[in-house]
Amino acid sequence: MTAYTEAEGQTLRTAVFGAMVLVSTADPGSVDEESQAGVRAITLLSDDLRAIIAAAPPSLPRGSTSEVESGVLAALRDSVAIINAHEPRDVAIFRAAVSEMCRSVAGADGEVAAAERAMVTKVVEALG
């Protein structure tokens, strides 16, 4: 297992949980179903990344809705760079897992609203 710093771990947690929050809040839906879908999708991450994500509670950016969104999207971009520096083979797994988490959250209530679809697109674009 490659050692990640606490700051890197926090960035990864902000990215993963923040992405799910952005999609979940893009359109009101069933919070329970959405959070369960997101948590199930975390299992798609590599063992190393899952351990880092589970190591501490996430910290989301503060401020207005657009400031939170900007902070989470920046954390997603930074996370790809962090993972690439430690374990390049995990980058594709991370991108796929976070994308699937967001799609699972968006579709948890049986339909995907336009606002959710747009947010998933922003997340996927931030992942590169």
Side-chain angles (χ1 to χ4, degrees):
M1 179 168 148
T2 308
Y4 286 82
T5 66
E6 177 48 40
E8 290 171 332
Q10 190 56 55
T11 298
L12 292 167
R13 287 186 288 278
T14 297
V16 170
F17 289 105
M20 288 189 285
V21 167
L22 289 180
V23 173
S24 182
T25 59
D27 184 70
S30 170
V31 175
D32 285 343
E33 288 173 359
E34 290 175 349
S35 60
Q36 288 172 8
V39 169
R40 276 192 307 274
I42 286 176
T43 63
L44 300 171
L45 291 169
S46 68
D47 291 343
D48 288 355
L49 292 176
R50 245 191 342 271
I52 293 158
I53 300 301
S59 173
L60 296 180
R62 301 205 181 277
S64 68
T65 303
S66 65
E67 289 169 330
V68 171
E69 179 182 320
S70 294
V72 170
L73 295 176
L76 286 161
R77 288 187 290 274
D78 292 346
S79 291
V80 170
I82 289 166
I83 295 166
N84 191 52
H86 284 275
E87 192 56 65
R89 66 181 170 81
D90 282 349
V91 171
I93 296 166
F94 180 77
R95 285 179 172 139
V98 174
S99 297
E100 181 55 34
M101 279 179 234
C102 291
R103 289 185 186 98
S104 294
V105 169
D109 61 359
E111 57 185 278
V112 179
E116 290 170 318
R117 197 169 16 262
M119 188 55 69
V120 170
T121 299
K122 287 182 183 183
V123 167
V124 170
E125 287 172 355
L127 290 168

